[in-house]
Amino acid sequence: MLKKTLACTIAIAALMAAGPAMADTKDKKIALSNNYAGNSWRQAMLKSWDKVTKQAVADGVVAAADPFTTSENQVTEQAAQIQNLILQGYNAIVVNAASPDALNGVIKQACDAGIVVVSFDGIVTEPCAWRIAVDFEKMGASEVEYLAKKMPEGGNLLEIRGLAGVFVDDAISKGINEEVKKNPQFKIVGSVHGDWAQEVAQKAVAGILPSLPEIKAVVTQGGDGYGAAQAFAAAGRPTPTIIMGNRQDELQWWKEQKDKNGYETMSVSIAPGVSTLAFWVAQQILDGKDVPKDLTVPFLRIDQDTLEQNLATTEKGGVANVEYSQADAQKVIAGK
Protein backbone atom coordinates (compact mmCIF):
# COMPACT_ATOMS: atom_id res chain seq x y z
CA MET A 1 0.00 0.00 0.00
CA LEU A 2 2.85 2.33 0.91
CA LYS A 3 4.55 1.53 -2.41
CA LYS A 4 1.33 2.34 -4.31
CA THR A 5 0.91 5.64 -2.48
CA LEU A 6 4.53 6.56 -3.11
CA ALA A 7 4.19 5.69 -6.79
CA CYS A 8 1.06 7.87 -7.12
CA THR A 9 2.80 10.74 -5.37
CA ILE A 10 5.77 10.50 -7.73
CA ALA A 11 3.46 10.35 -10.75
CA ILE A 12 1.51 13.44 -9.64
CA ALA A 13 4.74 15.31 -8.96
CA ALA A 14 6.01 14.41 -12.43
CA LEU A 15 2.82 15.73 -14.03
CA MET A 16 3.05 18.97 -12.06
CA ALA A 17 6.68 19.41 -13.04
CA ALA A 18 5.72 19.03 -16.70
CA GLY A 19 3.58 22.17 -16.43
CA PRO A 20 -0.16 22.83 -16.53
CA ALA A 21 -2.26 20.61 -18.75
CA MET A 22 -3.58 22.24 -21.92
CA ALA A 23 -7.30 22.79 -22.33
CA ASP A 24 -9.24 20.56 -24.72
CA THR A 25 -10.67 22.53 -27.68
CA LYS A 26 -12.89 19.84 -29.23
CA ASP A 27 -16.00 21.51 -27.78
CA LYS A 28 -14.91 25.08 -28.62
CA LYS A 29 -16.57 27.18 -31.32
CA ILE A 30 -14.66 29.75 -33.41
CA ALA A 31 -16.30 32.34 -35.69
CA LEU A 32 -14.86 34.47 -38.48
CA SER A 33 -16.16 38.03 -38.72
CA ASN A 34 -15.14 39.36 -42.13
CA ASN A 35 -15.92 42.92 -43.21
CA TYR A 36 -15.80 42.57 -47.01
CA ALA A 37 -15.75 39.94 -49.76
CA GLY A 38 -15.88 41.98 -52.96
CA ASN A 39 -12.60 40.97 -54.61
CA SER A 40 -10.57 37.89 -55.51
CA TRP A 41 -8.27 38.18 -52.47
CA ARG A 42 -11.20 38.11 -50.06
CA GLN A 43 -12.78 35.20 -51.92
CA ALA A 44 -9.49 33.28 -51.73
CA MET A 45 -9.21 34.15 -48.03
CA LEU A 46 -12.67 32.72 -47.34
CA LYS A 47 -11.93 29.64 -49.45
CA SER A 48 -8.75 28.98 -47.46
CA TRP A 49 -10.65 29.41 -44.19
CA ASP A 50 -13.33 26.97 -45.37
CA LYS A 51 -10.81 24.37 -46.50
CA VAL A 52 -8.63 24.37 -43.37
CA THR A 53 -11.35 24.81 -40.75
CA LYS A 54 -13.67 22.15 -42.19
CA GLN A 55 -10.83 19.68 -41.85
CA ALA A 56 -10.16 20.84 -38.28
CA VAL A 57 -13.84 20.29 -37.41
CA ALA A 58 -13.81 16.87 -39.11
CA ASP A 59 -10.69 15.95 -37.13
CA GLY A 60 -12.38 16.93 -33.87
CA VAL A 61 -9.98 19.79 -33.12
CA VAL A 62 -12.87 22.25 -32.66
CA ALA A 63 -16.65 21.92 -32.69
CA ALA A 64 -17.30 24.71 -35.23
CA ALA A 65 -15.51 27.36 -37.30
CA ASP A 66 -18.26 29.39 -38.95
CA PRO A 67 -17.59 32.35 -41.32
CA PHE A 68 -19.76 35.49 -41.37
CA THR A 69 -19.28 38.34 -43.86
CA THR A 70 -20.84 41.81 -43.82
CA SER A 71 -22.07 43.21 -47.11
CA GLU A 72 -20.39 46.57 -47.65
CA ASN A 73 -17.48 47.15 -45.24
CA GLN A 74 -19.77 48.95 -42.78
CA VAL A 75 -18.48 49.36 -39.21
CA THR A 76 -22.00 49.46 -37.73
CA GLU A 77 -22.98 46.26 -39.53
CA GLN A 78 -19.84 44.43 -38.41
CA ALA A 79 -20.30 45.65 -34.82
CA ALA A 80 -23.84 44.25 -34.83
CA GLN A 81 -22.54 41.02 -36.31
CA ILE A 82 -19.94 40.63 -33.55
CA GLN A 83 -22.59 41.34 -30.89
CA ASN A 84 -24.64 38.49 -32.37
CA LEU A 85 -21.62 36.18 -32.24
CA ILE A 86 -21.16 37.04 -28.57
CA LEU A 87 -24.80 36.12 -27.89
CA GLN A 88 -24.45 32.88 -29.88
CA GLY A 89 -21.80 31.66 -27.46
CA TYR A 90 -18.69 31.45 -29.62
CA ASN A 91 -15.50 30.88 -27.64
CA ALA A 92 -13.30 32.82 -30.06
CA ILE A 93 -13.92 35.36 -32.81
CA VAL A 94 -11.41 35.88 -35.61
CA VAL A 95 -11.86 39.36 -37.09
CA ASN A 96 -10.89 41.04 -40.36
CA ALA A 97 -11.98 44.49 -39.28
CA ALA A 98 -13.58 47.37 -41.16
CA SER A 99 -11.70 49.82 -38.92
CA PRO A 100 -8.72 49.58 -36.58
CA ASP A 101 -10.47 51.45 -33.76
CA ALA A 102 -14.19 51.90 -34.48
CA LEU A 103 -14.91 48.30 -33.44
CA ASN A 104 -12.95 48.53 -30.18
CA GLY A 105 -16.10 48.91 -28.06
CA VAL A 106 -17.68 45.67 -29.26
CA ILE A 107 -14.30 43.90 -29.23
CA LYS A 108 -13.99 44.84 -25.54
CA GLN A 109 -17.50 43.49 -24.94
CA ALA A 110 -16.40 40.16 -26.42
CA CYS A 111 -13.26 40.05 -24.26
CA ASP A 112 -15.26 40.92 -21.14
CA ALA A 113 -17.54 37.99 -21.96
CA GLY A 114 -14.50 35.69 -21.90
CA ILE A 115 -14.24 35.39 -25.68
CA VAL A 116 -10.84 35.26 -27.40
CA VAL A 117 -10.57 37.83 -30.21
CA VAL A 118 -7.88 37.49 -32.89
CA SER A 119 -7.68 40.16 -35.60
CA PHE A 120 -5.77 39.76 -38.86
CA ASP A 121 -5.21 41.73 -42.08
CA GLY A 122 -7.58 44.50 -40.93
CA ILE A 123 -6.38 44.51 -37.33
CA VAL A 124 -7.89 46.26 -34.29
CA THR A 125 -6.18 48.40 -31.65
CA GLU A 126 -8.21 47.23 -28.63
CA PRO A 127 -5.53 45.92 -26.20
CA CYS A 128 -7.48 42.79 -25.22
CA ALA A 129 -7.39 41.46 -28.80
CA TRP A 130 -4.58 39.65 -30.57
CA ARG A 131 -3.23 40.99 -33.88
CA ILE A 132 -1.71 39.15 -36.85
CA ALA A 133 -0.34 41.57 -39.39
CA VAL A 134 2.00 42.03 -42.27
CA ASP A 135 4.21 45.11 -42.13
CA PHE A 136 2.05 46.83 -44.73
CA GLU A 137 4.13 50.01 -44.68
CA LYS A 138 7.23 47.95 -45.50
CA MET A 139 5.28 46.21 -48.26
CA GLY A 140 4.42 49.58 -49.83
CA ALA A 141 7.99 50.81 -49.44
CA SER A 142 9.32 47.68 -51.17
CA GLU A 143 7.52 48.71 -54.37
CA VAL A 144 9.36 52.03 -54.57
CA GLU A 145 12.64 50.37 -53.55
CA TYR A 146 12.24 48.02 -56.50
CA LEU A 147 11.49 50.89 -58.88
CA ALA A 148 14.49 52.89 -57.63
CA LYS A 149 16.77 50.00 -58.64
CA LYS A 150 14.99 49.38 -61.94
CA MET A 151 14.80 53.03 -63.03
CA PRO A 152 17.31 55.12 -61.05
CA GLU A 153 16.45 58.13 -63.22
CA GLY A 154 12.98 58.14 -61.63
CA GLY A 155 9.80 59.46 -63.22
CA ASN A 156 6.11 60.08 -62.65
CA LEU A 157 4.10 57.54 -60.63
CA LEU A 158 0.39 56.76 -60.50
CA GLU A 159 -0.77 55.37 -57.15
CA ILE A 160 -3.74 53.00 -57.01
CA ARG A 161 -5.00 52.71 -53.47
CA GLY A 162 -7.28 50.10 -51.91
CA LEU A 163 -10.53 50.39 -49.99
CA ALA A 164 -10.91 53.86 -48.49
CA GLY A 165 -11.00 54.06 -44.70
CA VAL A 166 -9.40 50.66 -44.12
CA PHE A 167 -6.19 50.36 -42.10
CA VAL A 168 -4.45 48.29 -44.78
CA ASP A 169 -5.02 50.95 -47.46
CA ASP A 170 -3.64 53.70 -45.23
CA ALA A 171 -0.59 51.67 -44.19
CA ILE A 172 0.45 50.60 -47.70
CA SER A 173 -0.05 54.12 -49.04
CA LYS A 174 2.02 55.56 -46.19
CA GLY A 175 4.86 53.14 -46.98
CA ILE A 176 4.77 54.12 -50.66
CA ASN A 177 4.73 57.85 -49.97
CA GLU A 178 7.44 57.75 -47.30
CA GLU A 179 9.74 55.84 -49.67
CA VAL A 180 9.03 58.35 -52.47
CA LYS A 181 10.26 61.07 -50.10
CA LYS A 182 13.53 59.13 -49.82
CA ASN A 183 13.69 58.87 -53.63
CA PRO A 184 12.76 62.37 -54.87
CA GLN A 185 13.52 61.36 -58.46
CA PHE A 186 9.98 59.93 -58.33
CA LYS A 187 6.81 62.00 -58.14
CA ILE A 188 3.26 60.75 -57.51
CA VAL A 189 1.20 62.74 -60.02
CA GLY A 190 -2.12 60.98 -59.52
CA SER A 191 -3.92 58.78 -57.00
CA VAL A 192 -7.16 56.80 -57.27
CA HIS A 193 -8.95 54.16 -55.21
CA GLY A 194 -9.26 50.79 -56.92
CA ASP A 195 -10.85 48.95 -53.96
CA TRP A 196 -8.44 46.01 -54.56
CA ALA A 197 -10.69 45.02 -57.47
CA GLN A 198 -9.72 44.80 -61.15
CA GLU A 199 -12.91 46.33 -62.58
CA VAL A 200 -12.95 49.24 -60.12
CA ALA A 201 -9.27 49.96 -60.70
CA GLN A 202 -9.66 49.88 -64.50
CA LYS A 203 -12.51 52.39 -64.38
CA ALA A 204 -10.70 54.68 -61.91
CA VAL A 205 -7.46 54.69 -63.92
CA ALA A 206 -9.35 55.29 -67.18
CA GLY A 207 -11.00 58.29 -65.56
CA ILE A 208 -7.78 59.97 -64.42
CA LEU A 209 -5.43 59.09 -67.31
CA PRO A 210 -6.46 61.96 -69.65
CA SER A 211 -5.29 64.49 -67.05
CA LEU A 212 -1.92 62.86 -66.36
CA PRO A 213 1.52 63.38 -67.93
CA GLU A 214 3.71 60.44 -68.96
CA ILE A 215 3.59 57.69 -66.33
CA LYS A 216 6.74 55.62 -65.79
CA ALA A 217 5.31 53.26 -63.16
CA VAL A 218 2.14 52.38 -61.25
CA VAL A 219 2.34 51.54 -57.56
CA THR A 220 -0.56 49.41 -56.34
CA GLN A 221 -2.05 47.44 -53.47
CA GLY A 222 -3.23 44.24 -55.13
CA GLY A 223 -6.12 43.28 -57.39
CA ASP A 224 -5.58 46.40 -59.47
CA GLY A 225 -2.58 45.69 -61.72
CA TYR A 226 -4.44 43.98 -64.55
CA GLY A 227 -7.15 46.66 -64.50
CA ALA A 228 -4.48 49.35 -64.76
CA ALA A 229 -2.88 47.58 -67.74
CA GLN A 230 -6.25 47.39 -69.49
CA ALA A 231 -6.90 51.10 -68.91
CA PHE A 232 -3.52 52.12 -70.36
CA ALA A 233 -4.07 49.88 -73.39
CA ALA A 234 -7.58 51.28 -74.00
CA ALA A 235 -6.21 54.83 -73.82
CA GLY A 236 -3.50 54.00 -76.36
CA ARG A 237 -0.78 54.99 -73.91
CA PRO A 238 2.56 53.19 -73.39
CA THR A 239 2.39 50.50 -70.71
CA PRO A 240 4.38 51.60 -67.66
CA THR A 241 5.98 49.29 -65.10
CA ILE A 242 2.96 48.16 -63.07
CA ILE A 243 3.56 46.59 -59.67
CA MET A 244 1.31 43.53 -59.39
CA GLY A 245 -0.55 42.06 -56.39
CA ASN A 246 -0.29 38.26 -56.79
CA ARG A 247 -3.70 37.81 -58.47
CA GLN A 248 -3.84 35.16 -61.17
CA ASP A 249 -5.07 37.56 -63.86
CA GLU A 250 -2.18 39.92 -63.10
CA LEU A 251 0.40 37.11 -63.15
CA GLN A 252 -1.02 35.72 -66.40
CA TRP A 253 -0.89 39.14 -68.09
CA TRP A 254 2.67 39.67 -66.81
CA LYS A 255 3.72 36.25 -68.19
CA GLU A 256 2.22 37.08 -71.61
CA GLN A 257 4.04 40.42 -71.74
CA LYS A 258 7.26 38.85 -70.52
CA ASP A 259 7.14 36.23 -73.29
CA LYS A 260 6.23 38.88 -75.88
CA ASN A 261 8.67 41.67 -75.11
CA GLY A 262 10.58 40.89 -71.90
CA TYR A 263 8.31 43.00 -69.69
CA GLU A 264 9.72 43.25 -66.16
CA THR A 265 8.02 43.97 -62.84
CA MET A 266 7.43 42.46 -59.41
CA SER A 267 4.37 41.38 -57.45
CA VAL A 268 3.65 41.59 -53.73
CA SER A 269 0.73 40.97 -51.38
CA ILE A 270 -0.27 39.33 -48.13
CA ALA A 271 -1.25 35.67 -48.66
CA PRO A 272 -5.04 35.15 -48.33
CA GLY A 273 -4.31 32.06 -46.24
CA VAL A 274 -3.40 34.33 -43.32
CA SER A 275 -7.00 33.67 -42.25
CA THR A 276 -5.99 30.08 -41.52
CA LEU A 277 -3.10 31.27 -39.38
CA ALA A 278 -5.55 33.42 -37.40
CA PHE A 279 -7.78 30.37 -36.91
CA TRP A 280 -4.96 28.26 -35.53
CA VAL A 281 -3.73 31.09 -33.31
CA ALA A 282 -7.23 31.35 -31.82
CA GLN A 283 -7.29 27.59 -31.31
CA GLN A 284 -3.91 27.67 -29.59
CA ILE A 285 -5.05 30.44 -27.24
CA LEU A 286 -8.16 28.41 -26.38
CA ASP A 287 -5.81 25.49 -25.79
CA GLY A 288 -4.06 27.47 -23.07
CA LYS A 289 -0.94 28.49 -24.95
CA ASP A 290 0.83 31.73 -24.06
CA VAL A 291 0.60 33.76 -27.28
CA PRO A 292 2.10 37.24 -27.80
CA LYS A 293 -0.53 39.90 -28.53
CA ASP A 294 1.21 40.96 -31.75
CA LEU A 295 2.38 38.50 -34.41
CA THR A 296 3.94 39.42 -37.73
CA VAL A 297 3.92 37.33 -40.90
CA PRO A 298 5.94 38.05 -44.05
CA PHE A 299 4.31 39.28 -47.25
CA LEU A 300 4.48 37.10 -50.35
CA ARG A 301 6.67 38.55 -53.10
CA ILE A 302 7.03 37.27 -56.66
CA ASP A 303 9.94 38.39 -58.84
CA GLN A 304 10.84 38.00 -62.51
CA ASP A 305 12.58 34.66 -61.93
CA THR A 306 9.81 33.15 -59.76
CA LEU A 307 6.84 34.23 -61.89
CA GLU A 308 6.30 30.97 -63.75
CA GLN A 309 6.42 28.69 -60.70
CA ASN A 310 3.97 30.88 -58.78
CA LEU A 311 1.60 31.21 -61.74
CA ALA A 312 1.60 27.42 -62.14
CA THR A 313 0.32 26.94 -58.59
CA THR A 314 -2.25 29.77 -58.64
CA GLU A 315 -5.74 28.71 -59.73
CA LYS A 316 -7.58 30.68 -62.40
CA GLY A 317 -9.33 33.65 -60.82
CA GLY A 318 -7.42 33.12 -57.59
CA VAL A 319 -4.45 34.56 -55.74
CA ALA A 320 -0.97 33.21 -55.05
CA ASN A 321 -1.38 31.76 -51.60
CA VAL A 322 0.04 30.10 -48.50
CA GLU A 323 -2.18 28.18 -46.09
CA TYR A 324 -1.10 27.47 -42.52
CA SER A 325 -1.21 24.38 -40.34
CA GLN A 326 -1.36 24.12 -36.56
CA ALA A 327 2.37 23.42 -36.57
CA ASP A 328 2.99 26.56 -38.63
CA ALA A 329 1.02 28.61 -36.11
CA GLN A 330 3.05 27.16 -33.27
CA LYS A 331 6.25 28.22 -35.04
CA VAL A 332 4.92 31.76 -35.58
CA ILE A 333 3.91 31.94 -31.92
CA ALA A 334 7.37 30.80 -30.90
CA GLY A 335 8.92 33.50 -33.08
CA LYS A 336 10.35 31.00 -35.56
Side-chain angles (χ1 to χ4, degrees):
M1 183 71 179
L2 182 62
K3 286 183 179 178
K4 276 187 178 181
T5 303
L6 184 60
C8 286
T9 302
I10 292 170
I12 292 169
L15 284 169
M16 291 177 67
M22 294 296 102
D24 189 346
T25 62
K26 70 176 183 297
D27 296 323
K28 304 295 185 182
K29 298 194 303 176
I30 299 175
L32 168 64
S33 172
N34 173 46
N35 68 307
Y36 178 72
N39 59 41
S40 58
W41 191 94
R42 291 300 179 109
Q43 292 298 321
M45 181 269 286
L46 290 168
K47 188 173 182 179
S48 289
W49 173 275
D50 187 65
K51 173 184 172 183
V52 170
T53 62
K54 274 187 176 175
Q55 189 61 53
V57 172
D59 292 342
V61 179
V62 293
D66 305 314
F68 301 89
T69 297
T70 59
S71 56
E72 289 295 335
N73 189 42
Q74 295 296 318
V75 169
T76 52
E77 186 181 352
Q78 191 169 23
Q81 179 193 78
I82 293 171
Q83 286 174 331
N84 287 333
L85 298 177
I86 295 170
L87 294 173
Q88 290 172 38
Y90 283 93
N91 304 101
I93 302 173
V94 173
V95 180
N96 196 338
S99 164
D101 50 22
L103 290 170
N104 282 354
V106 73
I107 296 295
K108 184 67 164 56
Q109 288 176 31
C111 293
D112 289 346
I115 298 169
V116 168
V117 179
V118 178
S119 62
F120 73 99
D121 186 38
I123 57 174
V124 297
T125 57
E126 166 54 48
C128 73
W130 280 261
R131 285 161 291 278
I132 300 173
V134 160
D135 187 338
F136 287 111
E137 288 186 28
K138 185 176 180 181
M139 193 175 96
S142 72
E143 299 185 27
V144 182
E145 290 170 353
Y146 167 81
L147 293 173
K149 291 178 182 177
K150 178 177 169 56
M151 48 184 75
E153 73 284 1
N156 293 326
L157 305 180
L158 169 62
E159 179 186 16
I160 305 179
R161 299 187 56 163
L163 200 62
V166 176
F167 155 78
V168 176
D169 168 57
D170 292 334
I172 297 174
S173 182
K174 182 179 178 181
I176 288 170
N177 282 270
E178 289 297 323
E179 196 62 30
V180 167
K181 289 178 183 176
K182 297 176 186 176
N183 292 274
Q185 69 272 31
F186 291 105
K187 181 181 179 183
I188 296 177
V189 296
S191 178
V192 296
H193 281 277
D195 293 1
W196 304 313
Q198 186 262 121
E199 298 88 352
V200 178
Q202 182 174 343
K203 185 176 180 180
V205 173
I208 197 175
L209 266 183
S211 66
L212 297 180
E214 179 192 18
I215 299 296
K216 293 295 293 290
V218 181
V219 285
T220 66
Q221 295 198 6
D224 38 25
Y226 181 66
Q230 296 298 98
F232 273 87
R237 295 184 58 152
T239 304
T241 297
I242 304 171
I243 304 298
M244 300 298 172
N246 295 1
R247 276 62 168 177
Q248 185 270 337
D249 57 2
E250 297 176 321
L251 301 180
Q252 182 62 46
W253 179 87
W254 176 11
K255 174 70 164 58
E256 291 168 0
Q257 304 311 304
K258 179 182 176 182
D259 291 345
K260 187 187 301 182
N261 55 37
Y263 187 84
E264 292 185 17
T265 188
M266 58 90 85
S267 183
V268 63
S269 183
I270 180 174
V274 68
S275 62
T276 63
L277 176 61
F279 164 77
W280 286 117
V281 167
Q283 185 272 331
Q284 289 291 286
I285 297 167
L286 291 174
D287 199 35
K289 301 294 194 305
D290 184 16
V291 178
K293 286 289 186 179
D294 291 281
L295 299 170
T296 302
V297 291
F299 45 79
L300 180 60
R301 174 169 168 164
I302 300 171
D303 286 293
Q304 197 78 357
D305 58 347
T306 58
L307 168 59
E308 284 79 8
Q309 68 191 63
N310 280 281
L311 179 58
T313 57
T314 303
E315 64 181 41
K316 187 174 178 60
V319 186
N321 200 7
V322 176
E323 288 165 347
Y324 294 84
S325 66
Q326 185 185 65
D328 293 329
Q330 290 167 344
K331 288 177 183 176
V332 172
I333 291 166
K336 298 178 181 178

